[in-house]
Amino acid sequence: MREYLLVFLVALSVTYLLTVVAREIALRTGAVAKVRDRDVHAEPIPYLGGLAMLGGLCAAYLVAQRLPFLSRSDTVVFDDAGVVLLAGALVCAVGVLDDIFELDALTKLGGQVLAAGLLVALGVRFWFFPGADGTQFVLDDAQGSVLTLIVVIGTMNAVNFVDGLDGLAAGVVGIGAAAFFLYCYTLSATNNLTLATTGALLSAALAGACAGFLPHNFHPARLFMGDSGSMLLGLVLSASALTLTGQFVGMPTTGGNSLFVTVLPVLLPISLLMVPIVDLVLAVVRRTRAGRSPMSADKQHLHHRLLEIGHSQRRAVLIMWMWAFTIATGAVIVSLYETDLVWVAVGTMLAITVAMTFVLPKVHRPRKTGLGDTGLPENAVVEGREDLEEGPVSGPGRTL
């Protein structure tokens, strides 16, 4: 645990320091959220936060290779982690080009497919799932590759989609990474297996990178992660989960729900990003029913609705974090422990989150609310809020 804590702190520290460098690069290359008549921010806000997070992840990876315990782990741990970072660097580069030149959606999708395909080609994919009776459900090459592409590309786009307010995406992914680290570490300890796993290493580093980026990105943000960051976070989060599918032979032993143990490597990225995934589905349905393109911009995303019902921007972000914590942590603890107390705890978390979402705005409203009036000063920076008027969205990840 101490070495994982060090990995977390290295990723946090390096990311925090490199954001200053990333900001300077963004300003010199013109990768900024420019001020337009319909925007809320009063001055250009740089993108390229993904470069700082990639640097933090790589630094954590290099340090982990020199630590007494992790350095003696199976070579597959660092081999798979290196493949994930290589694919992450590729998709981050695509994001950097988009942050500077504003690539079209098809080109970005091509870059995502290429990065996910690199994972598959180098052996980081879904291999099998344990069955409740101790058997293995083995995926053939086609099944494993297709499922990997769907989960990885879907997670990258979901993170990009949720990147709509200052600190929202980094907080949501950081919470999910911490929850998955708890799952990997506890599952390994319970089954008396090595605590050195690729999933635990990557999730610890990812949580640290998100924590190091948040001080620069929380409202009012000084730096946006842009597509370079949102796609990187999505790829590393989903790849962390899928690397675990080859870790255990037979059904892992836990005191929790066996179904959750079996499907959690697929379920966690989906459950963590359930809110943005639901938002994505609703947006597609809403736009197609109106006879518009699913890729056209509108002002009816979930975080817009939180602002509209009376939350300030910071409170809306905290509410979304609470939903991520409730869903991700709930899925993990139910898979590890199954007692009445666990279900009471999950139910309590859910009740508190629902109350904070819908009751708090009625009890304590900010002075001003609504999509056109968020209760913030006129010159406040609102990440991803450039779509307050008609026209294409150009937020931190240019989320549609």
Side-chain angles (χ1 to χ4, degrees):
M1 179 63 79
R2 288 178 296 180
E3 292 193 3
Y4 283 122
L5 178 60
L6 181 58
V7 168
F8 171 86
L9 292 175
V10 168
L12 185 156
S13 303
V14 174
T15 300
Y16 179 82
L17 295 174
L18 286 182
T19 40
V20 179
V21 179
R23 189 177 190 278
E24 184 64 24
I25 294 174
L27 291 173
R28 290 178 179 273
T29 58
V32 297
K34 298 180 175 62
V35 179
R36 298 167 298 179
D37 291 339
R38 65 178 183 271
D39 293 334
V40 176
H41 58 270
E43 59 183 20
I45 304 297
Y47 290 128
L48 301 188
L51 290 178
M53 289 186 280
L54 179 62
L57 292 172
C58 291
Y61 173 80
L62 293 175
V63 169
Q65 288 182 309
R66 302 294 185 269
L67 297 178
F69 171 69
L70 290 176
S71 63
R72 296 196 302 269
S73 61
D74 193 303
T75 56
V76 71
V77 172
F78 286 101
D79 289 346
D80 285 355
V83 170
V84 173
L85 292 181
L86 179 62
L90 174 60
V91 80
C92 183
V94 174
V96 168
L97 293 177
D98 179 59
D99 291 337
I100 298 174
F101 302 110
E102 298 190 20
L103 304 177
D104 60 89
L106 187 60
T107 302
K108 284 195 293 183
L109 179 60
Q112 294 172 357
V113 172
L114 186 61
L118 181 62
L119 290 176
V120 173
L122 296 181
V124 178
R125 66 172 179 85
F126 288 107
W127 291 98
F128 56 79
F129 294 101
D133 58 355
T135 61
Q136 299 283 355
F137 179 74
V138 181
L139 301 175
D140 61 31
D141 290 343
Q143 292 171 331
S145 299
V146 170
L147 183 59
T148 299
L149 291 173
I150 291 174
V151 171
V152 173
I153 295 173
T155 306
M156 282 191 282
N157 283 286
V159 174
N160 180 271
F161 207 72
V162 79
D163 186 24
L165 296 174
D166 294 353
L168 181 54
V172 167
V173 173
I175 290 169
F180 190 66
F181 171 78
L182 174 65
Y183 175 77
C184 292
Y185 191 90
T186 305
L187 200 61
S188 298
T190 302
N191 288 270
N192 296 316
L193 298 173
T194 176
L195 298 177
T197 62
T198 303
L201 174 62
L202 288 175
S203 55
L206 182 59
C210 291
F213 182 67
L214 272 174
H216 299 273
N217 187 238
F218 198 66
H219 179 75
R222 296 188 296 275
L223 185 71
F224 292 163
M225 68 171 62
D227 281 357
S228 61
S230 61
M231 293 194 295
L232 171 66
L233 295 185
L235 183 141
V236 176
L237 178 66
S238 55
S240 300
L242 68 88
T243 58
L244 198 64
T245 62
Q247 178 72 33
F248 298 102
V249 178
M251 186 68 186
T253 301
T254 74
N257 187 293
S258 60
L259 177 62
F260 273 80
V261 176
T262 302
V263 303
L264 193 64
V266 176
L267 179 66
L268 183 64
I270 297 174
S271 64
L272 168 68
L273 300 167
M274 184 60 70
V275 174
I277 288 173
V278 170
D279 197 10
L280 173 62
V281 173
L282 291 177
V284 172
V285 172
R286 181 174 66 244
R287 294 164 186 173
T288 53
R289 288 184 62 183
R292 300 166 55 195
S293 167
M295 305 299 288
S296 61
D298 62 27
K299 298 171 286 187
Q300 300 182 52
H301 294 301
L302 293 179
H303 50 267
H304 297 160
R305 294 175 185 271
L306 287 174
L307 295 172
E308 194 172 38
I309 66 175
H311 291 291
S312 64
Q313 187 198 167
R314 286 191 177 188
R315 201 163 69 199
V317 170
L318 292 175
I319 293 294
M320 297 286 277
W321 286 3
M322 289 180 64
W323 278 107
F325 178 83
T326 299
I327 296 173
T329 305
V332 168
I333 63 176
V334 168
S335 68
L336 296 175
Y337 313 100
E338 190 171 26
T339 65
D340 292 340
L341 182 60
V342 166
W343 288 107
V344 169
V346 173
T348 301
M349 288 192 298
L350 181 60
I352 293 174
T353 304
V354 171
M356 291 288 289
T357 303
F358 299 105
V359 178
L360 187 60
K362 300 180 182 298
V363 176
H364 177 69
R365 282 182 172 271
R367 287 177 301 170
K368 301 177 183 179
T369 59
L371 291 179
D373 194 354
T374 64
L376 302 173
E378 290 185 0
N379 64 342
V381 177
V382 181
E383 186 168 356
R385 299 286 293 118
E386 290 89 343
D387 57 335
L388 290 175
E389 297 183 7
E390 293 299 325
V393 177
S394 181
R398 282 179 286 281
T399 305
L400 296 174

